[in-house]
Amino acid sequence: MTAPAPIDPHERRRLERVRPPGWTNPTPADRYNLVVLGAGTAGLVTAAGAAGLGARVALVERGLMGGDCLNTGCVPSKALLASARAVADARAAGGLGVRIPDVSADFAAALGRMRRLRADLAAHDSAARFRALGVDVFLGEGRFVARDAVEVEGVRLRFARAVIATGARPVVPPVPGLADAGFLTSESVWDLAALPPRLAVVGGGPLGCELAQAFARFGSRVTVVEVEDRVLPAEDADAAAIVAAALGADGVDLALGSRLARVARTAGECRLTLESRADPRDLEVDAILVAVGRAPEIGGLDPAAAGVRLDGRRAPIVDDRLRTSNRRIYAAGDAAGGQQFTHVADAHARLVIRNALFPGSAKASALTLPWCTYTDPEVAGVGLDRAAAAAAGREVRAFEEPWDAVDRAVLDGETAGFARVLVDAEGDEILGATIVGRHAGEAISLVTLAMEKGIGLTDLAAVVHPYPTRMRALGAIADQYQRTRLGPRARSLLDRWMRWRRR
């Protein structure tokens, strides 16, 4: 396997912020309004928000402040994707009349940039900042010792309410030989010192596709091993097909409908045996990245000591208010076992603050939650797609605008993809949307807002979009819907009216 990078000044700066050496835990209060277990997005937002409202808050973190998002998730991955996108844009610049000879990619420099930016952003999640916000920050392993108490480093923290926000961990499949051969996950891939010449990515979901494309653009020979017959199996099938084509154009080999059966390590390389009805084969690589999903992580919390029941994935069982079986204790973010996105963790945290500190009844089911896969092109969605609507027995109408019909996308040379909106079959209520293209993650927010506020396509047609922008596609979709309202009787009346107006 590729050797890890040494600790550089940026890494030291990050670690000093998220796990300060010599940190002294504070003297605990007699009782806290809220004890937050886990300092990832859900925990940090909960702690900061509650403290800002005057609550006495304790924040317990056994690892690194900032959790997955800062240290091993969104921040490092999007920094690397930005560099990989710049490489691809430079190589494609000739199509725009810009000649850039001898484009080369410096993977080590891109990782150095990522580490610098990650260290900069770590200031927002640092132990010192949260102490300044009035939060009692305890670094160490926390565990429940009663229905209203947590112990950390031998000190008992009593609480009126608590929040389990301990995040998730990468799932590693039980493949013979995998552990002995060595592998990377979303947690360890950022420690690479050099680009693996040949990389196998096990898992064709969002993370697997994002990193496969990035590594291929830097020059790795990448193979994605996916047990389903397509990448992004949870996404709209049309969207997934566009991403598959983009991956292929970047040189990624897709081993679809394939299962990793075993791994054997030989001198200097790993041999993977793939089982498949269509394409069984052996594959030699220099590194393996496992990206088959993440499971809720509660570590040594001992939830049973607090009367917190777990489901089959060992996630706390929660109701629609995110309360566990112990009504004093809530769960939020990845630990709650739902959608694993940073923005969902943020939304959960705000819901928990309302319900835990006030007589609130905010419900997780009422949240309108978009998502995005940051491949190039991006895939963003909210609500239902056609497959989900069919599975729910919901009759819908779909209105779609391809990017090759949108002037700005044509002018930018980025016509792969589409915007599609689903509405109720009997009206204009928006039930969901899928957008595939560059900046799709930004564009989906307009549809999310419309769904959240009950704005239908009729009202969306009245929104004026600047020309030329990509979001004129949503205007075109709204216009498509408006035209369907002109039935035979309405057209007959319009024809009579127009004839009268010509007099």
Side-chain angles (χ1 to χ4, degrees):
M1 296 294 290
T2 305
I7 298 294
D8 63 14
H10 300 312
E11 282 296 87
R12 283 194 291 271
R13 186 159 53 96
R14 174 176 69 99
L15 294 174
E16 285 169 0
R17 288 172 166 171
V18 300
R19 190 74 181 186
W23 179 267
T24 300
N25 287 339
T27 301
D30 291 337
R31 189 173 177 85
Y32 288 96
N33 294 103
L34 198 60
V35 168
V36 181
L37 297 156
T41 298
L44 294 177
V45 174
T46 301
L53 293 170
R56 194 67 191 266
V57 181
L59 176 63
V60 181
E61 174 53 56
R62 70 173 185 169
L64 303 179
M65 299 281 291
D68 169 67
C69 182
L70 171 69
N71 296 291
T72 62
C74 307
V75 168
S77 67
K78 302 314 170 277
L80 187 68
L81 294 186
S83 296
R85 185 174 63 244
V87 172
D89 286 347
R91 289 173 178 155
L96 299 175
V98 179
R99 308 293 177 215
I100 305 177
D102 303 323
V103 176
S104 62
D106 189 335
F107 182 73
L111 285 183
R113 171 184 179 272
M114 177 275 289
R115 292 179 182 124
R116 172 175 57 82
L117 296 176
R118 182 172 59 175
D120 291 344
L121 294 176
H124 303 307
D125 298 347
S126 68
R129 175 173 179 258
F130 275 77
R131 179 171 58 189
L133 292 174
V135 176
D136 285 354
V137 178
F138 292 85
L139 298 183
E141 182 87 38
R143 65 184 181 91
F144 289 109
V145 291
R147 294 182 67 85
D148 66 345
V150 166
E151 187 177 281
V152 55
E153 298 296 306
V155 175
R156 181 168 290 213
L157 311 180
R158 297 180 63 240
F159 57 78
R161 297 290 185 270
V163 183
I164 298 172
T166 46
R169 68 185 186 281
V171 172
V172 179
V175 176
L178 180 61
D180 292 335
F183 57 90
L184 301 165
T185 69
S186 59
E187 294 181 346
S188 59
V189 67
W190 315 113
D191 298 330
L192 285 172
L195 183 73
R198 300 168 299 175
L199 175 68
V201 178
V202 183
L207 177 63
C209 288
E210 289 175 8
L211 293 184
Q213 187 175 48
F215 275 77
R217 287 176 164 184
F218 277 108
S220 282
R221 289 172 50 196
V222 181
T223 302
V224 172
V225 181
E226 168 56 48
V227 69
E228 300 292 339
D229 290 330
R230 63 182 176 93
V231 297
L232 302 180
E235 290 286 0
D236 177 274
D238 294 338
I242 292 172
V243 171
L247 292 174
D250 282 317
V252 177
D253 180 23
L254 300 179
L256 304 177
S258 298
R259 185 181 71 87
L260 178 59
R262 57 187 172 275
V263 179
R265 184 161 186 80
T266 59
E269 68 178 20
C270 297
R271 179 182 291 270
L272 282 63
T273 299
L274 307 185
E275 291 183 348
S276 168
R277 281 192 294 248
D279 184 25
R281 54 173 144 158
D282 287 340
L283 180 68
E284 291 79 31
V285 299
D286 303 291
I288 304 167
L289 172 62
V290 175
V292 295
R294 296 172 61 81
E297 172 63 272
I298 58 169
L301 277 185
D302 192 8
V308 174
R309 294 168 49 218
L310 306 180
D311 64 16
R313 297 172 300 163
R314 292 190 56 75
I317 298 172
V318 295
D319 64 13
D320 206 14
R321 300 181 189 181
L322 298 181
R323 297 178 301 184
T324 69
S325 50
N326 178 343
R327 290 298 187 254
R328 291 180 178 270
I329 301 173
Y330 294 73
D334 291 359
Q339 292 177 296
Q340 295 180 348
F341 301 114
T342 295
H343 54 278
V344 173
D346 184 298
H348 279 183
R350 297 169 193 273
L351 186 151
V352 164
I353 290 171
R354 294 168 60 187
N355 290 343
L357 300 182
F358 303 97
S361 58
K363 296 182 178 180
S365 61
L367 297 171
T368 304
L369 298 172
W371 64 89
C372 185
T373 296
Y374 296 93
T375 47
D376 188 10
E378 295 177 356
V379 178
V382 64
L384 302 176
D385 62 14
R386 290 191 292 199
R394 193 76 187 257
E395 292 189 20
V396 299
R397 288 187 292 170
F399 297 92
E400 180 177 318
E401 188 78 354
W403 292 124
D404 60 12
V406 178
D407 291 358
R408 181 58 184 268
V410 172
L411 297 171
D412 287 344
E414 297 168 355
T415 56
F418 57 85
R420 179 187 296 148
V421 176
L422 301 188
V423 299
D424 181 80
E426 300 300 324
D428 74 339
E429 178 191 1
I430 299 173
L431 301 179
T434 301
I435 301 178
V436 186
R438 278 211 173 171
H439 313 297
E442 308 290 341
I444 201 68
S445 292
L446 179 58
V447 185
T448 305
L449 175 63
M451 292 178 64
E452 177 69 24
K453 297 302 180 182
I455 299 170
L457 273 186
T458 302
D459 290 330
L460 206 58
V463 176
V464 178
H465 301 278
Y467 178 88
T469 59
R470 295 166 190 264
M471 282 305 89
R472 290 181 67 86
L474 290 181
I477 285 171
D479 288 343
Q480 289 178 31
Y481 169 76
Q482 291 287 72
R483 287 193 290 272
T484 67
R485 301 175 67 193
L486 291 175
R489 186 171 186 277
R491 285 198 171 277
S492 175
L493 290 173
L494 275 174
D495 287 345
R496 292 166 60 187
W497 173 258
M498 292 303 173
R499 285 197 300 271
W500 182 82
R501 292 290 292 176
R502 287 195 294 270
R503 293 179 182 176

